[in-house]
Amino acid sequence: MRTVDAAGLPIGDEHPPRIMGVLNVSKESPYDPSVFDDPGEAAAYVDEELIDQGADIVDVGLESANKRFEVLSAEQELERLDTAVETLESVSGDAVFSIETRYHEVADAALSRGFDMVNDICGFADPEMPRVCADYDVAVAKMASPPDLERPGAIEEVDDIYDALSLNGFTDKTLVDPAFGGWSEEKTLADDRETFRRLREFRGLGYPILVSINRKNFLRSIAGRSTEEALPVSLAATSMAVERGAHVIRTHDVAETRDAALIGHEFARDRVRERDAGDVSIEELDVTTPREAERHLDRVGVADAEAVSTDSVVRVFELDSLSDADVGALSTAAAERGATVVSGAAVDDGQSVLADGNGAPGATDRDGETGRTVLLFGTVGALAGLAGALTGGTDGLTGALETIAEHIA
């Protein structure tokens, strides 16, 4: 995972999560507290409610991307740029200023007038955008989108989101944004939830991840909250997003989101990284599913990434109430497939402790019958084939192994 320098602000695994506060100079924007058309009032808001509260980046939107509104042309966005620039010039605090746009002409004008980075909500649908950002040597957030300047973020399937993020390539300072929210009529709350569940997959692109999940419908619907009541669900999701690998959180609620992000960062898995280990650098990847492994395999150019991915992730299952015959049959099948079975030994309170799997006494199950508890370790590929390799054993064991295979598919 590369580190991106955004006007001196490092963004990546080796740095704290960054908070992107939002300022809108668009009258159409749906969240009133962040909308201003007076530069002085906007600057005061940026200083007091964004930078002073912990925003590292201030993202300035010139228009609402809400599907209910007409898309502004580049010329119409440029007419609003003066307000954004005057705001920037009036701010006293220190932050990285990002311009949200889909047009390279607007990005060019904003960068030439003091902006530090670009938030491209159409994901390089304008093929000149990466050139402009590279020419200015600035960071650019690239949101997943079809190759259409009038339909930002209208991607439903997660696999299609991943492909959309590759549209027209990347600059050396790209951040990727999988695009949560109601950008299109076709995109459902279930689509957003699936994208969030699979957030780690986007690490496979090798670029830092930006997420915009503040008060989104797919979170509000879970708790049955209105936009005004949705801060708690946003904060819960923020911690989860950072733990799953997000590096920048875009939000209207800066102080609270900063705290939630720091909690997610503190309790994220501690992965080995060593960029100066002699002649060899080391990075432990955050991989929990075969699909996540497949993304990294694709990135490094493995020819048959999908097939290899099933042998790249280890899973662990506990099976209770097995007979001695079941344990023997499972151990034999596991040895054939390259999986590992470890049995439990009985103790006085009826609970089990790990033993060596060589015929330890049985524990008592919930129905008072003697049974055995085992832990089953293996790669997805090994576990998926266990039911077929099983010789002997009960129907219950066969059914359990088929359930495991279905679950990890």
Side-chain angles (χ1 to χ4, degrees), residues 8-314:
L9 178 73
I11 300 171
D13 282 346
E14 299 177 19
H15 303 280
R18 305 305 186 181
I19 305 302
M20 175 183 275
V22 180
L23 171 72
N24 289 300
V25 295
S26 58
K27 297 177 182 179
E28 311 91 351
S29 294
Y31 192 66
D32 289 341
S34 67
V35 181
F36 296 89
D37 57 12
D38 178 85
E41 294 178 356
Y45 176 79
V46 170
D47 276 326
E48 297 168 10
E49 302 298 328
L50 301 183
I51 297 176
D52 287 353
Q53 298 299 316
D56 304 289
I57 305 167
V58 175
D59 191 39
V60 182
L62 302 175
E63 67 167 311
S64 172
N66 191 296
K67 59 182 177 291
R68 293 174 298 173
F69 301 122
E70 293 294 324
V71 172
L72 297 185
S73 66
E75 290 73 20
Q76 290 171 311
E77 283 197 6
L78 286 169
E79 290 175 1
R80 298 183 176 186
L81 185 60
D82 285 344
T83 301
V85 172
E86 289 177 41
T87 299
L88 185 155
E89 293 172 345
S90 301
V91 168
S92 59
D94 185 24
V96 174
F97 278 84
S98 168
I99 188 70
E100 180 186 282
T101 185
R102 67 194 75 190
Y103 302 112
H104 80 275
E105 300 97 326
V106 178
D108 194 343
L111 293 171
S112 70
R113 298 179 65 182
F115 276 83
D116 303 302
M117 69 175 285
V118 175
N119 182 12
D120 183 354
I121 60 172
C122 272
F124 296 174
D126 181 341
E128 291 298 305
M129 183 67 85
R131 177 191 61 77
V132 168
C133 294
D135 286 348
Y136 281 93
D137 191 29
V138 296
V140 53
K142 180 182 185 183
M143 195 178 82
S145 176
D148 183 343
L149 289 176
E150 295 187 0
R151 296 184 64 241
I155 303 287
E156 294 84 50
E157 296 293 330
V158 181
D159 291 334
D160 293 338
I161 293 172
Y162 197 93
D163 293 339
L165 285 170
S166 300
L167 174 69
N168 290 327
F170 304 93
T171 70
D172 289 338
K173 294 186 175 183
T174 297
L175 314 175
V176 294
D177 174 359
F180 292 96
W183 294 87
S184 72
E185 297 290 349
E186 294 81 10
K187 191 167 191 175
T188 66
L189 303 184
D191 294 326
D192 270 338
R193 287 194 289 269
E194 181 67 11
T195 303
F196 193 83
R197 289 189 187 99
R198 294 172 58 181
L199 187 62
R200 280 188 180 91
E201 284 186 42
F202 300 104
R203 292 179 59 85
L205 290 165
Y207 295 88
I209 300 171
L210 181 152
V211 295
S212 181
I213 54 176
N214 188 239
R215 302 175 187 257
K216 294 292 188 183
N217 286 348
F218 83 100
L219 299 174
R220 288 161 36 202
S221 66
I222 295 171
R225 297 295 186 185
S226 66
T227 299
E228 293 71 23
E229 300 170 325
L231 180 58
V233 294
S234 293
L235 301 182
T238 292
S239 285
M240 293 176 65
V242 172
E243 190 275 333
R244 295 179 182 196
H247 302 90
V248 179
I249 309 295
R250 186 178 183 273
T251 181
H252 297 278
D253 304 294
V254 170
E256 299 90 341
T257 299
R258 171 189 173 275
D259 291 353
L262 290 174
I263 295 298
H265 181 67
E266 178 67 21
F267 294 102
R269 181 182 175 191
D270 186 15
R271 296 183 297 274
V272 175
R273 298 183 193 90
E274 182 58 67
R275 293 300 182 187
D276 189 21
D279 294 329
V280 180
S281 64
I282 305 166
E283 179 176 356
E284 181 183 0
L285 300 179
D286 188 8
V287 174
T288 63
T289 71
R291 283 189 296 208
E292 292 165 11
E294 184 181 347
R295 301 304 191 186
H296 291 283
L297 291 163
D298 280 333
R299 175 171 54 83
V300 300
V302 175
D304 194 4
E306 183 176 1
V308 176
S309 67
T310 61
D311 292 324
S312 303
V313 180
V314 174

